Amino acid sequence: MNKILGLQILDDYTTIDAKRNFIARVTIALCFFISLGFTSVFFIQKIYPLNIIFLFFTGVYIVAASMCLMKNALAAKVVLYSSMLAQVFFMAIVLGKFVEIKVFYIPIAIVPLLIFSKKEKFPMYALLILTAINIVMINVFVRHNIYQSEQMYAIETYRNINNAFDITSMLCMVILAFLFLQLTEAGEIQLIQVNEALSNQKEIERQNNFLLKKSKEDQERTNVMKDHLFRIISHDLRSPINTIHGLTEILLNVNLTSEERMLITEQLKKSTDSTNQMLDNLLSWSAFQINNSTAPIIDNIQIRDLIKDIFKQLEIKAAQKNIQLIENIDKDLTVYGDSNMLEIVIRNLISNAIKFSYKDQAIGIQAEKSGDKIIFRIKDNGIGMSKDVLAKLFTNDKTVSREGTFNEKGTGIGLLLCKNLLDNCGGTIDAVSTPNLQTVFTVTLPANNAVAAIQGANHDH
């Protein structure tokens, strides 16, 4: 009773076909009880042959119900609807023009739309054609008084039958309309569920496509890194190692004067320094690529202390060209970032400046706060760069790698490493240069922790 009052009588049936079969069973029960009721009244009132007609079709509806119990739903539906048409036909023949049988046309026409599923459309079409034929035959028989031209019952009896049929027809239409609304609601719910399933499927496909695309990009990046590593190992790294090997062979196997030995020792030191720098960059860049841009460890960094530590690391390299390293940084100035990453970036930039500077020059580094940013500038007065070189500066392009003023070699990955590291902690890098005059590299990092966190999050996305 609660289900009926709550308009949820079809909720126990999960599919539309199951709901239609349930409606068919309800319709069979409805027809059975209506026929049984009229049979009882017509026998009591001795209204012949309507009592026999209704008794017969009461039995037919019992047969249809038995078919439902035997899981033969389609046969039960066909028997049900055919019986309804036949019953109305015989009622019309017997009662003639004295009773309006047309009141049953609408509820009968609704039934096949409720009980037949999409898979049962051919039987439904056949029965709808039969319905049209049935209506035509009823009109022909009634109009021409083929069965009975004279009045069989009293006028009061016809009036009572007509009233009873009107009430029954209205009751049937209310019940069928209720079932139709239930079925429509169930169909809408199922449609929503299907749409949600399709949306979920599309979202899964979108995520899978994104993962596939990301996997493809990672694979391409790995291939680029592998090719770059092989190129460096096969040429750039092997060349200085061969030089070191050759120089050590001379030191061990050739009788040298003290001046010659000193000269070879200086060359050996220069070659090992260059190789060491190359290995540092190579290992840092490889680790960064393999770890797929590992999230930086953001900390508050004392800039002046960091720069002085880098100066100590590079003082021997600078002394070989008698180059001064000058800093102009406030001792209280700090920046938020990853100290290891920032050290690699600044060391690379100062090392590059030494590489491309002439003897007896100076390299300056300054840092200042501008709004919520800390801006570093590394300036040298060396060989400078052309516009073509500047355009390719932060790429994998091998042609960017150039020899220094003392013929120092490079790998071409130092500046690319700097850019990758700065991107990873919310920083930027840029360069301006005038050939044979000067070069200025500008590095920008967040001045406070909040900005660094936001920019780091944006980079992760």
Side-chain angles (χ1 to χ4, degrees):
M1 179 63 69
N2 289 336
K3 285 186 177 182
I4 294 175
L5 293 175
L7 303 179
Q8 300 295 326
I9 66 170
L10 296 181
D11 278 2
D12 292 338
Y13 302 92
T14 56
T15 66
I16 294 295
D17 288 350
K19 297 177 193 296
R20 290 184 184 277
N21 291 339
F22 173 76
I23 291 174
R25 293 197 295 272
V26 171
T27 307
I28 291 172
L30 179 64
C31 292
F32 168 76
F33 285 112
I34 290 174
S35 291
L36 182 62
F38 277 109
T39 299
S40 302
V41 172
F42 290 153
F43 268 103
I44 292 171
Q45 297 294 326
K46 297 180 180 180
I47 301 175
Y48 177 86
L50 287 178
N51 52 3
I52 303 300
I53 293 173
F54 276 84
L55 178 62
F56 173 79
F57 283 103
T58 300
V60 173
Y61 296 131
I62 292 175
V63 172
S66 301
M67 290 178 177
C68 283
L69 295 175
M70 292 186 292
K71 308 296 183 182
N72 196 347
L74 179 57
K77 294 174 185 178
V78 172
V79 170
L80 165 66
Y81 193 66
S82 302
S83 301
M84 292 171 67
L85 293 178
Q87 188 171 7
V88 170
F89 177 78
F90 288 115
M91 288 162 51
I93 298 303
V94 171
L95 296 172
K97 60 184 178 181
F98 300 101
V99 175
E100 286 290 336
I101 300 298
K102 294 178 182 178
V103 293
F104 288 107
Y105 287 173
I106 294 177
I108 288 176
I110 293 173
V111 169
L113 302 177
L114 292 175
I115 66 175
F116 287 104
S117 66
K118 198 172 183 180
K119 295 181 292 187
E120 300 164 340
K121 59 183 179 180
F122 293 112
M124 182 184 73
Y125 293 155
L127 290 172
L128 287 175
I129 293 172
L130 185 60
T131 303
I133 296 171
N134 186 67
I135 293 172
V136 172
M137 291 179 63
I138 288 174
N139 280 284
V140 170
F141 273 67
V142 171
R143 181 177 297 174
H144 297 284
N145 299 317
I146 292 176
Y147 173 72
Q148 181 69 38
S149 59
E150 300 296 332
Q151 179 177 329
M152 293 182 61
Y153 313 117
I155 295 297
E156 185 66 24
T157 301
Y158 282 119
R159 186 181 297 114
N160 291 336
I161 292 174
N162 206 48
N163 290 336
F165 282 179
D166 286 343
I167 294 171
T168 302
S169 174
M170 291 179 62
L171 176 64
C172 290
M173 283 193 288
V174 169
I175 294 174
L176 292 174
F178 169 74
L179 293 174
F180 179 76
L181 290 175
Q182 289 282 290
L183 185 64
T184 303
E185 181 182 349
E188 289 176 353
I189 292 171
Q190 191 170 28
L191 183 61
I192 291 171
Q193 291 172 344
V194 170
N195 287 335
E196 288 178 352
L198 288 174
S199 298
N200 292 336
Q201 183 66 29
K202 288 181 179 178
E203 179 62 21
I204 292 171
E205 289 177 358
R206 190 190 65 80
Q207 292 176 358
N208 289 339
N209 289 336
F210 172 77
L211 292 175
L212 286 173
K213 182 180 178 182
K214 187 175 184 299
S215 177
K216 183 180 178 181
E217 290 174 352
D218 290 344
Q219 184 63 43
E220 290 174 351
R221 182 174 56 83
T222 302
N223 289 337
V224 170
M225 183 186 71
K226 179 189 67 177
D227 294 341
H228 208 59
L229 285 173
F230 281 145
R231 186 178 66 203
I232 293 168
I233 292 169
S234 65
H235 182 268
D236 298 314
L237 195 56
R238 186 171 62 182
S239 178
I241 289 176
N242 287 339
T243 301
I244 293 170
H245 181 266
L247 291 173
T248 54
E249 285 287 332
I250 293 173
L251 286 173
L252 292 173
N253 299 321
V254 179
N255 291 325
L256 302 171
T257 65
S258 59
E259 292 179 357
E260 290 173 336
R261 186 174 294 275
M262 180 61 68
L263 180 61
I264 290 176
T265 302
E266 290 177 356
Q267 291 177 342
L268 186 60
K269 177 67 169 64
K270 186 189 298 183
S271 186
T272 52
D273 286 344
S274 174
T275 305
N276 183 61
Q277 178 68 27
M278 189 184 303
L279 281 172
D280 281 346
N281 284 341
L282 185 60
L283 291 173
S284 298
W285 181 77
S286 300
F288 181 84
Q289 296 294 325
I290 290 170
N291 292 331
N292 197 19
S293 306
T294 303
I297 302 172
I298 304 297
D299 199 4
N300 193 19
I301 304 168
Q302 291 289 336
I303 299 175
R304 192 175 184 184
D305 293 343
L306 177 69
I307 299 303
K308 286 187 174 182
D309 286 342
I310 295 172
F311 279 2
K312 288 180 181 178
Q313 297 173 32
L314 297 174
E315 62 183 357
I316 295 176
K317 185 173 182 178
Q320 291 174 353
K321 294 184 179 182
N322 195 30
I323 290 175
Q324 285 186 292
L325 301 178
I326 303 171
E327 55 87 9
N328 181 19
I329 301 170
D330 189 290
K331 64 183 179 66
D332 296 322
L333 189 62
T334 60
V335 65
Y336 275 90
D338 187 307
S339 60
N340 291 327
M341 290 185 181
L342 184 58
E343 180 179 341
I344 292 171
V345 170
I346 301 299
R347 187 175 67 237
N348 263 282
L349 295 177
I350 296 176
S351 179
N352 266 4
I354 295 171
K355 175 181 174 181
F356 295 111
S357 292
Y358 297 104
K359 288 184 66 175
D360 303 323
Q361 290 188 327
I363 294 171
I365 177 169
Q366 66 179 50
E368 61 181 0
K369 185 174 181 181
S370 177
D372 59 357
K373 305 286 185 183
I374 298 294
I375 301 175
F376 297 82
R377 291 185 179 89
I378 297 93
K379 178 182 177 181
D380 69 73
N381 299 104
I383 63 176
M385 290 177 282
S386 66
K387 291 182 178 180
D388 290 340
V389 173
L390 278 172
K392 302 175 183 177
L393 206 54
F394 304 106
T395 68
N396 271 321
D397 196 320
K398 178 65 176 174
T399 60
V400 173
S401 181
R402 301 175 299 158
E403 291 186 351
T405 54
F406 276 23
N407 299 318
E408 302 98 323
K409 302 289 184 182
T411 62
I413 64 170
L415 292 176
L416 178 61
L417 171 64
C418 291
K419 185 177 189 322
N420 288 342
L421 293 175
L422 288 168
D423 285 345
N424 201 40
C425 56
T428 62
I429 184 170
D430 195 12
V432 293
S433 183
T434 302
N436 301 314
L437 186 60
Q438 72 172 16
T439 298
V440 179
F441 279 90
T442 303
V443 172
T444 304
L445 281 169
N448 57 70
N449 197 18
V451 176
I454 292 171
Q455 293 186 343
N458 290 338
H459 169 74
D460 290 341
H461 289 302

